[in-house]
Amino acid sequence: MPHRIRTLLHPFLIAFLALAMLASGCGSKPTPAEEKRQGGEAAPAPSSTASAPQEREFKHALGTMKLTGQPKRIVAPYIEDALITLGIQPAAKWSLGDLVQDYLEPHLQGVPKLDFTGGLNNEALLSTNPDLIVLYTTNLAEKGAYEQYSKIAPTYVFNDATVDWKQTLKTLGDMTGTSDKAGKAIAAYDSKVANAKTKLQPFVKDKTFAVIRAKPKEIQLMDGSFYSGLVLYADLALTPHKLVKEWSWQRAQTLSLEKLPELDADYIFVLVQSETSRPLLEQFQSSPLWKNIPAVKNGHIYEMPSNYWMASGAIANTAKIDDVLKTLVK
C-alpha cells in the first residue's frame, strides 16, 4: 500500500479501535463515581433472609403458640364477629346442627359450617385447611382436643374470649396484621356508647333493669357479667335490679314462678332461645304472678333477639345498643 494512503487511514484506524474497546466495556460494572454521574445507584445485593417471614410467639391460656407470617385461613368458632370486624372471612363458621349465628349470616354466605354437636369433628376441621385455629374458651380444648388441634395448625386458646371482646379483637388484630382495624372498631364502639348514654339518661334515671331468658326447660334470670349484662350494666351504666345483683350476677339462675314476685324491675328484656322454648314462656306469661310484676303491668316487657344478645363482639354489642335506644328513647 502506498505510504500516503497508509498515512491517511491511520487516524481512522485509531478511532475504530477506540470505539471497539468502548463497546466491549459496556457490560462491565460502573464505578461508584460513574453511577453518581449517571444519577443511579447500584442494586442491593440479594439477601436470603430479607423476605423470610418472621416467627412470632403468642402466649395463651394453655401455653405458647408460634406463628410464621400472617395467617390467611382462620378457624375461630364463635368468634366470627371479631374476624368480620377485622375484615377477615373465616375458613369455617360455628354451628350447632342447623343453629348458626344468624346476625352474622349476611357476612358469611358460602362459608362452610363447623358443627359442634357432640363436640368438634376433627376431620371436618382438617378439611378447612386452616393455618390458624382460635378457641374462644378452654372448654373447647379439654380431653386432649388442644393437642389434636395443634397438630393441624397453630392453635390459640382464650380463657373466655366473650368476656373482654375488645382485648380479643386486639389479640386477633396482632396475629393477623390488622391492629389498625381493631383500634378503629373499638374507638367507634366507645363513641357509640358515649352517645347512647347521653340519649338514654333522661329515660333510665332511677329505673332498674333485668334480662330473662326462656329455654326449653327453664326460665333464667341472666347474669351481669356476660353478653347482654356487660352491655347494659357496664357499657350503658343501666342499673341492674337488686335480684340480679344479689342472686345472679356471676351466673344465670333458674327463675321459678315462686321467685317471680321478687323481680319488680322497671324494665325487663326477654330472650327466647328457640321456638321450642316458647311454650314454657307462655306458661309463665299466663300466670297471675307474671301479670302482677311492675314491668308487665306498665308495658315495659320487651322481647329481644336471643341470637346476638347471647353473643359478644363489636357487631353484636352495637346491635344491642341500637335495640335499647329504639326501645327506651321516646
Side-chain angles (χ1 to χ4, degrees):
M1 180 180 295
H3 175 74
R4 177 174 175 80
I5 294 176
R6 288 198 303 270
T7 302
L8 290 173
L9 288 177
H10 182 69
F12 293 101
L13 182 60
I14 293 174
F16 174 78
L17 291 173
L19 287 172
M21 291 175 64
L22 180 61
S24 67
C26 285
S28 63
K29 181 179 179 180
T31 66
E34 288 171 336
E35 286 179 343
K36 186 173 182 180
R37 286 195 301 271
Q38 294 168 8
E41 294 184 0
S47 171
S48 59
T49 60
S51 59
Q54 293 185 345
E55 185 179 76
R56 297 172 296 153
E57 287 191 351
F58 296 89
K59 292 183 179 180
H60 58 85
L62 296 183
T64 301
M65 179 195 72
K66 294 182 179 181
L67 271 183
T68 302
Q70 302 294 351
K72 302 298 182 185
R73 294 188 57 77
I74 304 170
V75 175
Y78 219 69
I79 324 177
E80 289 89 354
D81 190 308
L83 293 184
I84 293 167
T85 300
L86 296 174
I88 299 169
Q89 187 179 63
K93 61 187 177 186
W94 174 91
S95 75
L96 195 63
D98 292 332
L99 179 65
V100 295
Q101 293 179 286
D102 288 335
Y103 77 101
L104 296 177
E105 280 302 288
H107 307 278
L108 298 175
Q109 295 299 312
V111 175
K113 293 193 294 186
L114 202 58
D115 192 352
F116 277 78
T117 303
L120 179 59
N121 184 323
N122 283 350
E123 291 184 4
L125 175 61
L126 188 60
S127 69
T128 66
N129 192 29
D131 50 23
L132 173 62
I133 300 169
V134 183
L135 304 180
Y136 83 94
T137 173
T138 53
N139 293 340
L140 296 181
E142 294 176 345
K143 300 178 180 179
Y146 170 67
E147 289 74 17
Q148 294 179 46
Y149 301 154
S150 297
K151 292 177 182 178
I152 297 173
T155 301
Y156 186 98
V157 185
F158 285 99
N159 277 313
D160 190 334
T162 64
V163 175
D164 187 350
W165 69 267
K166 292 179 182 179
Q167 185 56 51
T168 296
L169 197 65
K170 290 177 182 178
T171 301
L172 290 173
D174 192 17
M175 291 181 192
T176 59
T178 55
S179 294
D180 56 334
K181 292 183 179 180
K184 290 177 181 178
I186 291 169
Y189 181 80
D190 289 343
S191 176
K192 186 174 186 68
V193 167
N195 291 333
K197 288 169 71 173
T198 299
K199 293 177 181 178
L200 287 167
Q201 203 279 331
F203 302 95
V204 303
K205 185 178 180 181
D206 300 325
K207 305 297 183 183
T208 60
F209 294 81
V211 179
I212 66 173
R213 183 189 188 197
K215 300 176 71 175
K217 296 183 179 181
E218 65 175 337
I219 304 293
Q220 292 180 323
L221 179 63
M222 298 308 293
D223 54 76
S225 56
F226 294 95
Y227 300 124
S228 59
L230 286 172
V231 176
L232 298 182
Y233 310 130
D235 294 345
L236 298 179
L238 302 181
T239 302
H241 183 262
K242 62 182 180 181
L243 199 61
V244 178
K245 290 191 291 186
E246 297 170 2
W247 186 50
S248 69
W249 187 256
Q250 293 295 332
R251 184 181 178 86
Q253 300 291 336
T254 300
L255 183 64
S256 64
L257 279 171
E258 291 73 23
K259 193 80 171 176
L260 197 57
E262 297 181 40
L263 189 60
D264 56 350
D266 296 295
Y267 293 89
I268 297 177
F269 297 111
V270 179
L271 312 179
V272 181
Q273 179 176 296
S274 64
E275 287 307 305
T276 59
S277 309
R278 201 165 290 280
L280 181 59
L281 177 61
E282 291 173 348
Q283 181 181 329
F284 262 65
Q285 291 171 333
S286 65
S287 167
L289 294 173
W290 172 273
K291 295 176 181 178
N292 282 327
I293 60 176
V296 174
K297 293 172 70 174
N298 295 323
H300 293 163
I301 292 276
Y302 304 100
E303 185 173 324
M304 294 298 173
S306 179
N307 190 258
Y308 57 83
W309 274 63
M310 290 298 297
S312 178
I315 300 171
N317 290 0
T318 296
K320 292 171 200 168
I321 292 174
D322 287 337
D323 288 343
V324 172
L325 289 172
K326 291 174 184 176
T327 300
L328 300 180
V329 177
K330 307 298 182 182

